[in-house]
């Protein structure tokens, strides 16, 4: 099928995962503390950003979503590095001149270490909201004229769940037992929604034509068993992880579109042993509990092929998620992330083809999708490890970080060039 004229085909990255040299981030301190593989030079995109633009051109991309690194822009509280801001503005300009629309994320998991040195409770209090908005204002001013598409927060619910609920990520708070109280009743989600709303207003005040949203991680959910209890658990998890924050933003009128990050589906089971009475059967949960306990507790995983992340490949789930968002919110949608960790590269073509085709089906049924951004442009640091390979380009660290087209890049180019999904059968 063909896509509408001007449809965006591009890639997504995040500053911390590709730039390198972001030692002022709270992630760097976390890696040390948890003895994780250090991010260090990452994919060296801070130096090699022109190579990245070239790769995007090779792919025939007309959009690129990247993020600005707060700790680089503001290395010390209240001190902004103008050279860094200029460098981001230059990158955005170069993209535009190459016919590639820059889409900029302002918060993609990584935050300045100083934020938590000053306010160890982080977003559990209002303290970070002001500094975040000051940072947004600076970036907006510096990129004025170059950028008009913004994502305020990337996957705010994943960031909060991992950082403030389960303690898997910095700042490492474990509020699992009081998940609903901390996140909903005590207003953690509402605080982030407020920061998003305010950021939206700042960006629009600078440029009324700007298109602003956030990128929500959307999982395709299935009940573990076909019964009322599991359906209820599914709805509770859907509201918690997907709906709550989007509803707050929607009712504040601060979503010009919805950014959708889609990777996989999970089964959801009602269970008294889990917070909110919900057992969301993520691959990560099975790994954390161990296979036996996971199954003893009634965990269920699907039988589809798995990616190197242990995520099931379910292309039609993307269609379902887009359809559901379309019906619930009636807003334009942008696939801000979708991709596969596949070190062999052998699964990427099918993955891409099938997900693009599922997106096309959702559009044929009325979903107003205006672009697809593949995660990711280059292999990068996957929050604790370089092992997962998501890139349409590999990065050879032993050869000056040379970018080389990986499996999937040819197909992506063909799709972007023809603005059509390229089905294996040539339909
Ligand atoms: C998403 C994140 C992104 C990347 C992909 C694989 O959840 O937004 O940074 O890690 O997953």
């Amino acid at each position: 099928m063909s896509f509408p004229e001007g449809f965006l085909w591009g890639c997504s990255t995040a500053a911390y995962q590709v730039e390198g040299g972001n030692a002022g981030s709270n992630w760097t301190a976390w890696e040390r503390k948890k003895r994780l593989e250090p991010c260090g030079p990452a994919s060296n995109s801070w130096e090699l950003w022109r190579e990245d633009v070239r790769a995007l051109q090779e792919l025939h991309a007309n959009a690129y979503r990247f993020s600005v690194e707060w700790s680089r822009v503001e290395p010390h509280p209240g001190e902004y590095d103008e050279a860094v801001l200029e460098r981001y503005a230059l990158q955005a300009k170069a993209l535009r001149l190459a016919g590639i629309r820059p889409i900029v994320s302002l918060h993609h998991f990584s935050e300045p270490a100083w934020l938590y040195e000053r306010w160890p409770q982080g977003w559990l209090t209002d303290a970070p909201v002001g500094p975040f908005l000051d940072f947004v204002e600076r970036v907006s001013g510096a990129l004025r004229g170059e950028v008009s598409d913004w994502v305020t927060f990337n996957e705010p619910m994943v960031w909060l769940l991992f950082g403030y609920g389960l303690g898997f990520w910095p700042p490492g708070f474990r509020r699992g037992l009081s998940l609903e109280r901390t996140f909903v009743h005590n207003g953690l989600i509402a605080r982030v929604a407020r920061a998003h709303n305010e950021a939206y207003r700042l960006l629009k005040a600078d440029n009324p034509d700007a298109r602003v949203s956030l990128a929500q991680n959307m999982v395709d959910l299935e009940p573990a068993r076909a019964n009322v209890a599991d359906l209820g658990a599914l709805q509770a998890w859907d509201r918690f992880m997907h709906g709550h924050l989007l509803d707050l933003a929607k009712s504040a009128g601060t979503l010009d579109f919805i950014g959708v990050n889609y990777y996989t589906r999970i089964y959801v089971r009602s269970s008294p042993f889990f917070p909110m009475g919900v057992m969301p059967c993520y691959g990560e949960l099975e790994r954390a509990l161990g296979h036996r306990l996971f199954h003893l507790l009634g965990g269920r995983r699907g039988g589809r092929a798995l990616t190197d992340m242990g995520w099931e490949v379910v292309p039609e789930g993307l269609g379902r998620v887009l359809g559901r968002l379309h019906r619930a919110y009636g807003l334009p949608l942008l696939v801000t992330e979708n991709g596969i960790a596949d070190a062999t590269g052998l699964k990427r073509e099918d993955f891409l083809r099938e997900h693009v085709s599922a997106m096309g089906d959702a559009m044929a049924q009325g979903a107003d999708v205006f672009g697809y951004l593949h995660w990711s442009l280059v292999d990068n640091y996957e929050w604790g490890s370089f092992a997962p390979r998501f890139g349409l380009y590999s990065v050879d660290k032993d050869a000056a970080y040379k970018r080389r087209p990986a499996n999937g890049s040819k197909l992506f180019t063909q799709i972007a060039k023809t603005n059509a999904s390229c089905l294996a059968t040539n339909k």
Side-chain angles (χ1 to χ4, degrees), residues 53-386:
V53 177
R54 207 161 301 144
L56 286 157
Q57 284 178 293
E58 259 175 30
L59 290 170
H60 271 256
N62 58 4
Y64 180 47
R65 170 178 172 240
F66 63 99
S67 77
V68 289
E69 179 66 27
W70 185 357
S71 63
R72 200 189 274 276
V73 170
E74 189 181 0
H76 305 286
E79 271 176 38
Y80 296 88
D81 189 328
E82 293 303 328
V84 164
L85 287 167
E86 271 167 33
R87 149 67 172 70
Y88 282 125
L90 180 66
Q91 183 182 349
K93 187 186 202 112
L95 285 162
R96 273 198 319 106
L97 292 175
I100 300 165
R101 178 188 280 266
I103 301 169
V104 173
S105 311
L106 291 153
H107 186 291
H108 195 126
F109 302 155
S110 165
E111 300 180 294
W114 56 254
L115 194 76
Y116 290 91
E117 283 154 19
R118 280 214 157 170
W119 299 291
Q121 294 299 299
W123 291 80
L124 292 171
T125 74
D126 279 335
V129 179
F132 174 68
L133 295 174
D134 290 344
F135 156 73
V136 171
E137 202 166 12
R138 283 295 176 127
V139 175
S140 173
L143 301 191
R144 190 177 299 139
E146 305 298 351
V147 174
S148 51
D149 296 87
W150 300 92
V151 168
T152 57
F153 285 88
N154 176 69
E155 298 191 353
M157 288 308 301
V158 172
W159 163 59
L160 292 177
L161 183 69
F162 282 13
Y164 286 80
L166 304 176
F168 294 169
W169 284 359
F173 289 117
R174 292 209 179 104
R175 294 285 196 279
L177 292 178
S178 60
L179 202 59
E180 207 169 12
R181 178 147 44 85
T182 309
F183 278 53
V184 181
H185 306 308
N186 293 349
L188 179 57
I189 298 176
R191 180 171 298 119
V192 172
R194 215 173 340 111
H196 160 80
N197 293 340
E198 287 303 317
Y200 177 97
R201 289 184 192 113
L202 288 173
L203 293 161
K204 295 292 254 202
D206 253 6
N207 174 10
D209 294 330
R211 280 197 296 192
V212 185
S213 185
L214 45 83
Q216 185 80 315
N217 180 293
M218 296 294 303
V219 179
D220 180 37
L221 303 176
E222 296 270 6
R225 299 160 300 177
N227 65 27
V228 176
D230 285 4
L231 266 178
L234 182 153
Q235 278 166 351
W237 197 246
D238 190 34
R239 246 191 334 267
F240 179 72
M241 283 301 283
H242 302 149
H244 189 60
L245 182 67
L246 285 180
D247 290 346
L248 291 172
K250 173 85 194 298
S251 61
T254 57
L255 294 175
D256 294 334
F257 63 95
I258 299 177
V260 181
N261 293 1
Y262 174 79
Y263 288 93
T264 191
R265 72 128 170 242
I266 62 158
Y267 287 94
V268 184
R269 182 187 173 105
S270 142
S271 165
F273 304 113
F274 288 84
M276 295 167 49
V278 178
M279 180 182 190
C281 303
Y282 295 103
E284 285 81 357
L285 184 67
E286 179 170 6
R287 222 171 307 135
L289 293 176
H291 194 63
R292 278 191 58 188
L293 183 57
F294 178 83
H295 285 280
L296 209 65
L297 292 168
R300 174 171 177 198
R301 300 271 289 144
R304 299 284 187 88
L306 300 180
T307 72
D308 294 351
M309 300 294 284
W311 300 342
E312 256 196 304
V313 177
V314 184
E316 70 277 20
L318 173 59
R320 279 195 288 262
V321 157
L322 293 169
R324 246 182 268 139
L325 285 171
H326 169 66
R327 287 189 295 278
Y329 297 96
L331 289 167
L333 304 169
L334 172 65
V335 177
T336 32
E337 287 182 27
N338 172 242
I340 177 169
D342 176 21
T344 67
L346 298 176
K347 298 180 192 155
R348 188 167 294 108
E349 276 210 358
D350 284 345
F351 183 97
L352 177 60
R353 186 182 289 115
E354 287 162 13
H355 282 76
V356 165
S357 143
M359 173 177 72
D361 291 346
M363 292 169 70
Q365 286 164 37
D368 174 13
V369 185
F370 64 92
Y372 171 92
L373 308 177
H374 193 75
W375 184 276
S376 185
L377 176 63
V378 289
D379 283 339
N380 59 52
Y381 185 67
E382 178 53 34
W383 311 110
S385 165
F386 281 105

